[in-house]
């Protein structure tokens, strides 16, 4: 193939290289800048109870002032992989005939006419009329007491914990635990014997880490030991990958975990790889949807584990801030607030809504 010319031009403040031969011409914009990241406008990320016909609206700009086109990825899986539309210039797309009571995910890829492209964040919304009160087995808002607000009368007995301010600074709206012998206890009954699908939620504010045997810190636990069928737990400890290990104490290496014992085997659990620190609030969610355990931190999915089973019968009481085993106390030194126990899985949008709830 014989090249006939090479030219160097300036086009719209960009260097343009033109190479023409007998069969083709190639244009390369060396200084082209990609579009800015798309921003969500409607519906707000994490919105719930939206209609089954939803108009998606976003905004985007280009630093070079180029005309933009948008690929719309949309679906009920996270992340969305189905390209359902390519929109030219407009920043609106209507998704219709959606299922009720389902979480949908969408993202925008913005492209200019010079080969630049920018992929935006994943956003979500939930359709249907589900409410955050639906499926609650117990809810402890800790507004002045340890009563259950779900209507199931699963009130907790307080063993030394003291009322304190919550994450918004409201007085007597959370419980403080001294890391030595404070805990709350809920008597076991059928409503707290979880099975095929469930979700555990809690806010925790660590101020110190337990240095006793195995260095665990139990936010919420039902069960005497990890070997007991039907155990479930939200906790944090210094073992990055094993929620039941007893390694040496590493107070600067604490990780949040979610554990459950479905079939009498130990170590049905998962951990967040990121360390947690002292003096800050964390929203912890452990969910089992019938096939997969999922751990969310501050509304974001952090870890998953595939297990297809149901929890066995467990008649142990539920403890908050520690455990009933005399050798593995796992006392929490810090604050705990807004504990919820659901007898169903929550959608991603519902978890996001709880994290942003005021």
């Amino acid at each position: 193939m014989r090249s006939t010319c090479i030219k160097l031009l300036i086009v719209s403040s960009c260097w343009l290289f033109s190479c023409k031969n007998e069969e083709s011409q190639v244009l390369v914009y060396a200084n082209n800048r990609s579009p800015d990241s798309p921003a969500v406008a409607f519906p707000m990320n994490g919105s719930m109870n939206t209609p089954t016909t939803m108009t998606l609206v976003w905004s985007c700009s280009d630093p070079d002032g180029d005309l933009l086109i948008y690929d719309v990825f949309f679906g009920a899986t996270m992340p969305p992989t189905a390209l359902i539309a390519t929109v030219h210039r407009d920043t609106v797309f209507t998704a219709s005939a959606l299922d009720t009571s389902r979480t949908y995910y969408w993202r925008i890829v913005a492209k200019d006419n010079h080969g630049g492209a920018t992929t935006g964040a994943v956003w979500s919304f939930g359709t249907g009329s589900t409410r955050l009160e639906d499926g609650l087995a117990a809810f402890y808002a800790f507004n002045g007491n340890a009563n259950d607000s779900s209507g199931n009368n699963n009130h907790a007995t307080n063993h030394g914990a003291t009322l304190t301010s919550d994450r918004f600074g409201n007085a007597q709206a959370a419980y403080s635990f001294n890391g030595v012998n404070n805990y709350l206890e809920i008597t076991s009954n059928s409503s707290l014997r979880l099975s095929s699908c469930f979700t555990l939620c809690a806010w925790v504010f660590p101020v110190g880490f337990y240095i006793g045997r195995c260095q665990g810190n139990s936010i919420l636990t039902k069960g005497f030991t990890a070997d007991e069928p039907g155990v479930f737990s939200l906790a944090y400890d210094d073992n990055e990958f094993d929620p039941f290990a007893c390694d040496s104490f590493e107070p600067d290496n604490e990780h949040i975990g979610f554990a459950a014992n479905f079939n009498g085997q130990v170590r049905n659990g998962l951990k967040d790889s990121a360390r947690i620190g002292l003096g800050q609030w964390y929203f912890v969610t452990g969910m089992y949807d019938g096939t997969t355990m999922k751990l969310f931190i501050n509304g974001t999915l952090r870890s998953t584990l595939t297990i297809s089973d149901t929890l066995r019968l467990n008649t142990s009481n539920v403890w908050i801030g520690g455990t009933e085993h005399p050798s593995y106390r796992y006392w929490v030194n810090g604050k705990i607030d807004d504990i919820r126990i659901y007898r169903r899985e929550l959608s991603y949008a519902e978890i996001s809504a709880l994290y942003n709830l005021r």
Side-chain angles (χ1 to χ4, degrees), residues 57-77:
V57 184
W58 63 94
S59 62
C60 190
S61 58
D62 186 89
D64 301 320
D66 297 330
L67 296 177
L68 299 178
I69 62 175
Y70 305 98
D71 287 339
V72 182
F73 291 84
F74 183 89
T77 59

Side-chain angles (χ1 to χ4, degrees), residues 35-40 58-61 70 107-110 118-121 123:
D36 296 328
S37 182
V40 66
W58 63 94
S59 62
C60 190
S61 58
Y70 305 98
R107 79 183 332 161
I108 301 298
V109 178
T118 301
T119 300
W123 305 310

Side-chain angles (χ1 to χ4, degrees), residues 176-337:
S176 177
F177 300 79
N178 64 6
V180 178
N181 56 12
N182 292 170
Y183 65 100
L184 304 179
E185 186 175 11
I186 306 135
T187 301
S188 178
N189 61 63
S190 59
S191 68
L192 295 173
R193 293 166 191 162
L194 308 182
S195 123
S196 57
C197 294
F198 63 92
T199 306
L200 313 174
C201 305
W203 283 90
V204 62
F205 183 94
V207 299
F209 297 125
Y210 180 67
I211 61 174
R213 188 173 183 181
C214 294
Q215 300 86 51
N217 304 258
S218 177
I219 305 167
L220 172 70
T221 297
K222 187 180 195 297
F224 191 71
T225 71
D227 301 302
E228 184 181 356
V231 167
F232 59 77
S233 178
L234 295 179
Y236 48 97
D237 60 35
D238 58 356
N239 303 290
E240 184 168 352
F241 301 109
D242 187 346
F244 300 111
C246 290
D247 299 333
S248 59
F249 180 49
E250 298 179 75
D252 61 343
N253 193 33
E254 296 276 333
H255 301 259
I256 293 174
F258 165 44
N261 192 321
F262 293 90
N263 52 17
Q265 296 179 356
V266 183
R267 296 182 177 88
N268 290 329
L270 58 163
K271 302 291 289 288
D272 182 16
S273 61
R275 298 175 181 178
I276 66 170
L278 301 177
Q280 56 186 302
W281 284 100
Y282 294 90
F283 180 54
V284 184
T285 305
M287 183 177 72
Y288 179 63
D289 62 9
T291 60
T292 307
M293 295 176 66
K294 301 176 182 180
L295 174 66
F296 298 77
I297 307 296
N298 294 336
T300 300
L301 181 64
R302 301 293 300 173
S303 184
T304 63
L305 178 65
T306 300
I307 294 178
S308 183
D309 208 337
T310 58
L311 286 176
R312 301 295 187 258
L313 179 65
N314 183 308
T315 59
S316 296
N317 291 344
V318 177
W319 279 45
I320 298 170
T323 75
E324 63 178 306
H325 196 293
S327 298
Y328 304 93
R329 286 311 213 177
Y330 297 166
W331 301 120
V332 165
N333 184 4
K335 301 179 183 182
I336 297 176
D337 195 16

